[in-house]
């Protein structure tokens, strides 16, 4: 049969593979790189070597030792916030309903701007001349996509709302005059506030009839739903869930000369086992049609597992003279860990499903500069090229319509007083036109193109006490 659906399970499986999805608005995959306003101003070039404020706890914990030289034995707290505005226009190029329905897919294109706020908090305290303690609190993964309920791709996605909170205590140790080492652990909380999609009530009803071979039921479905794949008769499902998992990070900072610093930083994989619940909001017509003993869509508990990637960064910071510092960074992210997503449905009988993702490892390359205009004002700029791990248009989903992007960034740092510094950063992300040709788990294909751009505005306060 062209349509093959195992009723409740089919709808669950079509949504769960996107559990940790997010829009391509920020960094590759569904990672968030917005963890410092000073870093934003130079496209995060030299992030593992800069060590210019307490955010080094996240980028390279070994940098706390270098930062300590400017703290004069004091502690520092860094509070940053980032406003991210992502504009996305989807143009349909022939999305379709399953062939067996013999129906024209109803819907329209999508044109939206989504604005999000991302906060960070960091703290560094000297323990003694060789040892520093730091604490970072941020959100390394997460985003939001929100489509209208009558767009073409609604059977794959309507709303995704995902956030994460990462608490990262760390230590740095001065091994020698030139070498510093750092290490930390992370407690990472992931919350899926909403993951929803539409259900074609007519298609589901007719598929049940086909699967059971019940001609009377098929006639009843046609009577209630003369037209399939139409938004006005859709039902909906929504999945929520959360998880706590743990990881670690390591760092090294080497200063071969007074003018040059080399930084190396590693973050481990983090495996999340998510406990969740799926709920259904059914169209009245679907509940009115008897499915002759075949279970209708029912609320239930679910579980899913995903391994978030490790990353390795190498950075350099070099002072050309008293005013100019050049910066560079190359970061590898191991998205090949996301090859598949295993899903377990728990409703008295446990069934396991595996969905292929086949993501690839990617690189992010950035270069930038700090220019000390005077004793109070530092100007910054940078550019970056950020690869997307999704290997093809067929594996791209409406929840992750990502593509390679180019960053252009500007920023400034201002020394307000002896103990207070302010940082500002702005980045514009240029994304290539993105094709999607996803056949859909249940035959509701999404075929079209995305045109996207992103603007990020960041501000940060560094207070020494």
């Amino acid at each position: 049969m062209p349509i093959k659906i195992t009723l409740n399970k089919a709808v669950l499986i079509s949504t769960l593979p996107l559990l940790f999805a997010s829009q391509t608005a920020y960094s590759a995959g569904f990672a968030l790189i917005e963890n410092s306003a000073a870093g934003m101003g130079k496209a995060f070039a030299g992030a593992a070597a800069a060590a210019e404020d307490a955010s080094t706890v996240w980028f390279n914990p070994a940098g706390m030792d270098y930062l300590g030289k400017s703290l004069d034995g004091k502690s520092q707290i860094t509070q940053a916030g980032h406003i991210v505005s992502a504009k996305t226009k989807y143009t349909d190029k022939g999305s379709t309903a399953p062939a067996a329905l013999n129906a024209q897919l109803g819907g329209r294109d999508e044109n939206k701007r989504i604005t999000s706020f991302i906060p960070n908090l960091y703290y560094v305290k000297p323990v003694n001349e060789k040892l520093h303690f730091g604490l970072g609190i941020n959100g390394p993964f997460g985003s939001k996509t929100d489509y209208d309920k009558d767009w073409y791709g609604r059977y794959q996605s309507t709303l995704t709302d995902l956030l994460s909170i990462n608490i990262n205590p760390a230590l740095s140790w001065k091994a020698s005059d030139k070498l510093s080492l750092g290490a930390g652990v992370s407690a990472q909380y992931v919350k899926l506030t909403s993951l929803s999609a539409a259900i074609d009530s007519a298609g589901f009803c007719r598929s049940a009839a086909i699967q059971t071979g019940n001609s009377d039921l098929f006639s009843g479905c046609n009577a209630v739903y003369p037209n399939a794949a139409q938004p006005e008769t859709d039902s909906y499902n929504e999945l929520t869930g959360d998880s706590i998992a743990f990881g670690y990070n390591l760092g090294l900072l080497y200063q071969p000369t007074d003018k040059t610093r080399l930084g190396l930083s590693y973050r481990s994989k983090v495996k999340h086992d998510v406990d969740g619940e799926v709920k259904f909001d059914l169209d009245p017509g679907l509940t009115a049609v008897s499915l002759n003993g075949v279970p209708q869509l029912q609320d239930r508990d679910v579980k899913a597992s995903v391994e978030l990637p490790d990353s390795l960064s190498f950075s350099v910071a070099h002072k050309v003279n008293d005013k100019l510092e050049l910066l560079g960074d190359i970061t590898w992210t191991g998205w090949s860990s996301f090859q598949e997503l295993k899903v377990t449905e728990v409703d008295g009988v446990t069934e396991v499903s595996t969905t292929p993702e086949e993501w690839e490892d990617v690189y992010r390359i950035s270069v930038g500069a700090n220019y000390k205009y005077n004793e109070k004002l530092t100007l910054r700029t940078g550019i970056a090229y950020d690869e997307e791990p999704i290997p093809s248009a067929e594996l791209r989903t409406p929840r992750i319509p990502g593509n390679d992007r180019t960053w252009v960034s500007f920023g400034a740092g201002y020394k307000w007083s002896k103990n207070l510094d302010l940082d500002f950063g702005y980045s514009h992300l240029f994304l290539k036109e993105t094709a999607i040709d996803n056949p859909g788990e249940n035959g509701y294909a999404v075929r079209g193109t995305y045109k996207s751009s992103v603007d990020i505005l960041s501000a940060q306060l560094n207070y020494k006490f």
Side-chain angles (χ1 to χ4, degrees):
M1 284 286 182
I3 300 180
K4 185 178 181 182
I5 295 183
T6 311
L7 300 181
N8 296 321
K9 183 179 177 183
V11 180
L12 283 175
I13 291 172
S14 69
T15 342
L16 283 171
L18 307 172
L19 182 59
F20 284 88
S22 73
Q23 191 166 343
T24 179
Y26 314 127
S27 190
F30 44 90
L32 301 178
I33 196 174
E34 294 83 351
N35 290 303
S36 162
M40 181 66 66
K42 48 185 182 285
F44 297 97
E52 54 196 342
D53 56 55
S55 66
T56 192
V57 173
W58 172 260
F59 293 105
N60 184 353
M64 289 188 288
D65 176 62
Y66 179 83
L67 175 65
K69 297 175 183 178
S70 63
L71 295 182
D72 301 321
K74 295 182 178 181
S75 301
Q76 185 181 68
I77 188 168
T78 293
Q79 172 73 68
H82 315 268
I83 298 173
V84 184
S85 181
K87 183 178 180 180
T88 302
K89 180 180 180 181
Y90 170 80
T91 302
D92 196 70
K93 301 289 186 181
S95 297
T96 57
L101 290 178
N102 193 27
Q104 182 73 31
L105 178 64
R108 64 181 182 84
D109 293 346
E110 186 81 348
N111 189 356
K112 278 206 171 181
R113 180 180 291 276
I114 295 178
T115 301
S116 305
F117 178 72
I118 303 171
N120 324 128
L121 178 66
Y122 307 97
Y123 170 72
V124 170
K125 176 182 177 60
V127 178
N128 54 45
E129 291 184 357
K130 289 193 173 184
L131 191 66
H132 282 75
F133 168 78
L135 178 67
I137 303 175
N138 60 5
F141 297 94
S143 185
K144 182 177 181 178
T145 57
D146 188 3
Y147 295 97
D148 291 332
K149 290 187 175 181
D150 60 349
W151 87 290
Y152 283 108
R154 63 191 177 276
Y155 300 123
Q156 292 195 26
S157 173
T158 53
L159 174 64
T160 301
D161 193 354
L162 171 72
L163 65 84
S164 66
I165 300 173
N166 195 86
I167 300 175
N168 186 178
L171 292 170
S172 72
W173 179 62
K174 185 179 182 66
S176 70
D177 289 340
K178 293 185 177 182
L179 178 65
S180 303
L181 304 175
V185 295
S186 287
Q188 192 174 103
Y189 174 70
V190 169
K191 181 176 179 60
L192 183 64
T193 302
S194 178
L195 186 75
S196 63
I199 303 168
D200 179 9
S201 300
F204 182 86
C205 189
R206 295 174 191 178
S207 297
I210 291 172
Q211 187 174 326
T212 58
N214 189 323
S215 58
D216 291 337
L217 176 58
F218 193 86
S219 298
C221 293
N222 286 335
V224 175
Y225 297 113
N227 298 309
Q230 301 304 308
E232 58 269 19
T233 57
D234 284 341
S235 299
Y236 296 92
N237 65 64
E238 182 178 50
L239 189 147
T240 59
D242 58 11
S243 169
I244 297 177
F246 299 89
Y248 65 90
N249 60 314
L250 303 172
L252 177 154
L253 189 69
Y254 181 65
Q255 299 174 252
T257 71
D258 291 340
K259 293 185 176 182
T260 303
R261 299 186 304 282
L262 305 175
L264 188 67
S265 181
Y266 173 78
R267 283 199 163 269
S268 71
K269 298 177 182 178
V270 179
K271 183 179 180 181
H272 282 275
D273 296 313
V274 178
D275 294 319
E277 179 184 22
V278 65
K279 293 185 177 181
F280 296 91
D281 181 11
L282 301 183
D283 178 72
L286 187 59
T287 58
V289 177
S290 170
L291 298 186
N292 289 7
V294 177
Q296 297 185 43
L297 303 172
Q298 299 173 342
D299 297 351
R300 66 207 45 226
D301 294 331
V302 293
K303 293 184 177 180
S305 296
V306 68
E307 191 170 60
L308 301 184
D310 54 349
S311 63
L312 180 67
S313 297
F314 173 73
S315 295
V316 59
H318 176 72
K319 291 185 178 180
V320 178
N321 51 45
D322 291 340
K323 288 185 173 291
L324 180 63
E325 183 178 41
L326 300 180
L327 306 144
D329 178 86
I330 180 167
T331 293
W332 166 90
T333 303
W335 278 115
S336 60
S337 65
F338 196 44
Q339 287 295 297
E340 62 184 20
L341 182 64
K342 294 183 178 180
V343 179
T344 301
E345 180 185 349
V346 182
D347 60 351
V349 177
T350 300
E351 299 178 359
V352 177
S353 172
T354 301
T355 301
E357 298 291 344
E358 301 178 22
W359 283 20
E360 300 172 343
D361 296 345
V362 293
Y363 287 91
R364 185 181 191 279
I365 301 171
S366 58
V367 293
N370 289 327
Y371 181 75
K372 189 174 181 179
Y373 183 79
N374 55 37
E375 291 301 317
K376 286 186 173 291
L377 180 63
T378 298
L379 304 177
R380 303 184 175 104
T381 188
I383 59 173
Y385 181 73
D386 198 359
E387 289 184 320
E388 177 62 42
I390 301 168
S392 67
E394 290 75 19
L395 289 170
R396 184 170 286 113
T397 76
R399 298 189 193 272
I400 315 180
N403 206 343
D404 299 344
R405 69 222 73 193
T406 300
W407 292 59
V408 177
S409 304
F410 304 93
Y414 185 75
K415 190 172 186 60
W416 185 271
S417 67
K418 181 179 179 181
N419 295 323
L420 178 62
D421 298 335
L422 303 176
D423 290 300
F424 303 93
Y426 167 78
S427 293
H428 181 80
L429 279 61
F430 299 87
L431 281 81
K432 297 178 181 179
E433 183 174 274
T434 305
I436 182 171
D437 189 11
N438 191 302
E441 291 289 327
N442 292 322
Y444 294 90
V446 179
R447 299 186 179 95
T449 58
Y450 286 90
K451 289 185 178 180
S452 305
S453 63
V454 184
D455 294 286
I456 308 172
L457 183 64
S458 303
Q460 179 174 300
L461 178 151
N462 310 299
Y463 182 66
K464 187 168 58 174
F465 59 96

